[in-house]
Amino acid sequence: MHCPRCDKEMAPTRLDEVEAAQCPHCEGHWLEGEDLKLLESTVNVRLFEWRTLPSEEVQARELACPRCPPRQVMKKVRSERDRHVLLDACERCHGVWLDGGELRAIQEMGIAAALVDAVRFIMND
Ligand SMILES: [Zn+2]
Ligand SMILES: [Zn+2]
């Protein structure tokens, strides 16, 4: 699976007990529906390193879901709790893309709340 941001091959990684994919280049994470639910209950915020968020301009660029071919554009979900956090969520497979730095930003407002927001958004819309 390739990074939706820079098209590099992503590598499997773990966020606490949750399996995710991470891009070695931009350090973004890809998480899928079931993993999101698990992450909500098991997240260990100490695992997340500080990274600088991409610029607003980079965040605002449309991304295609890495899971759903050929080109399913993901929805932008701006966190209501932190306006610097802009998640990309796929309406089809309910995967969520977090840019490098977003996990840290989300940590400060509660990762569970942020991810629940994202999932609720794509399910209801
Ligand atoms: Zn990348
Ligand atoms: Zn998808």
Side-chain angles (χ1 to χ4, degrees):
M1 197 163 45
H2 287 219
C3 174
R5 179 74 70 198
C6 42
D7 205 34
K8 301 262 193 263
E9 180 70 31
M10 290 194 281
T13 187
R14 294 183 87 79
L15 297 171
D16 209 359
E17 291 168 37
V18 178
E19 286 180 27
Q22 185 175 28
C23 171
H25 184 71
C26 68
E27 302 184 322
H29 284 85
W30 173 251
L31 294 157
E32 297 184 346
E34 287 305 305
D35 302 330
L36 285 174
K37 279 184 212 146
L38 196 59
L39 185 63
E40 209 184 307
S41 56
T42 64
V43 68
N44 178 343
V45 294
R46 285 170 305 178
L47 289 178
F48 304 141
E49 296 173 47
W50 167 253
R51 299 284 179 208
T52 310
L53 285 168
S55 69
E56 285 279 321
E57 191 195 335
V58 168
Q59 281 191 307
R61 231 170 261 163
E62 276 195 342
L63 297 179
C65 176
R67 177 64 82 196
C68 302
R71 188 168 168 81
Q72 170 87 21
V73 173
M74 293 192 280
K75 281 215 151 186
K76 298 288 176 188
V77 184
R78 187 173 295 278
S79 167
E80 288 173 14
R81 294 172 180 80
D82 184 336
R83 63 182 186 83
H84 296 300
V85 175
L86 193 59
L87 308 172
D88 291 273
C90 176
E91 292 175 282
R92 197 161 130 196
C93 69
H94 297 153
V96 175
W97 171 254
L98 302 171
D99 280 312
E102 285 180 332
L103 279 176
R104 168 64 193 221
I106 288 170
Q107 167 192 335
E108 286 163 9
M109 63 173 166
I111 190 166
L115 295 175
V116 165
D117 278 355
V119 171
R120 193 180 293 137
F121 181 87
I122 54 179
M123 300 266 204
N124 291 347
D125 206 59

